[in-house]
Amino acid sequence: MAFDALYTNNQIQKLKVLLPYIEPSMQKNMAIYIKYMELKYTMDLCRKHPFHICSAPSEKQAPDFKKLCQELKPYSTEAEVRQLEQMESMLQTMEMYQEMSQTMSAMQEMFPNMGNGDADPSSASMENILMGMLSPEQKAMFDAFSSQT
């Protein structure tokens, strides 16, 4: 990772390579020394070069939470992975809700009589058509979001 490459140097990397070759009784002390060297190097670097590590999303651009979930999964426990997947599912449902709401608004503007008693009774309402495309879980999420707005 770029972060790891930025906050280390060749001497520290050499110590990491040598660690498995050190006497087992000394490996813990060496590991602590390596972490100390990384911390010291990072603190010195930050004092000398006050710069941003990476750019944060601008206010105009919303953060990509689905991407964040994907990036966290390799470092997560099984339970945390399930929670991240649940979060991804919820985010996807929220996106779908927003898209459906926009579609419904556009359809109501185009066909103002749709969905009320003035419309042709033989034609199904657009909402029913769209709702028919959802899984039961998605319908439940849609209903939950609808009741909150």
Side-chain angles (χ1 to χ4, degrees):
M1 209 171 156
F3 176 84
D4 293 329
L6 182 63
Y7 291 103
T8 192
N9 60 24
N10 288 345
Q11 180 184 1
I12 294 169
Q13 290 305 109
K14 288 176 191 175
L15 291 173
K16 289 179 180 182
V17 169
L18 292 172
L19 186 61
Y21 299 99
I22 304 282
E23 180 72 30
S25 63
M26 295 298 296
Q27 286 180 352
K28 289 180 183 177
N29 292 334
M30 183 66 138
I32 293 169
Y33 179 70
I34 290 170
K35 289 299 179 185
Y36 167 76
M37 294 295 292
E38 286 180 321
L39 177 61
K40 185 176 179 313
Y41 182 80
T42 301
M43 290 172 56
D44 290 342
L45 188 65
C46 289
R47 273 190 218 112
K48 292 177 187 174
H49 306 285
F51 53 84
H52 298 287
I53 296 171
C54 59
S55 61
S58 67
E59 290 181 19
K60 295 177 185 175
Q61 179 186 1
D64 187 349
F65 290 113
K66 287 194 292 186
K67 181 180 177 189
L68 176 61
C69 289
Q70 287 298 318
E71 291 176 350
L72 289 172
K73 281 182 184 180
Y75 308 103
S76 302
T77 64
E78 286 183 34
E80 291 169 335
V81 168
R82 285 192 301 274
Q83 288 175 334
L84 290 168
E85 288 171 348
Q86 188 176 19
M87 175 89 74
E88 286 175 310
S89 177
M90 187 174 70
L91 291 169
Q92 184 176 357
T93 302
M94 287 172 49
E95 286 176 6
M96 189 172 20
Y97 172 77
Q98 289 174 336
E99 289 173 11
M100 287 181 67
S101 293
Q102 291 170 354
T103 302
M104 290 300 297
S105 295
M107 294 302 290
Q108 286 174 347
E109 286 178 22
M110 289 172 45
F111 306 103
N113 292 332
M114 183 176 281
N116 65 27
D118 301 338
D120 180 6
S122 63
S123 66
S125 75
M126 184 55 65
E127 182 175 358
N128 290 339
I129 293 170
L130 291 173
M131 291 299 283
M133 296 179 190
L134 299 178
S135 70
E137 296 84 17
Q138 292 169 330
K139 285 180 186 176
M141 280 287 215
F142 183 86
D143 291 337
F145 287 122
S146 295
S147 67
Q148 293 178 3
T149 58

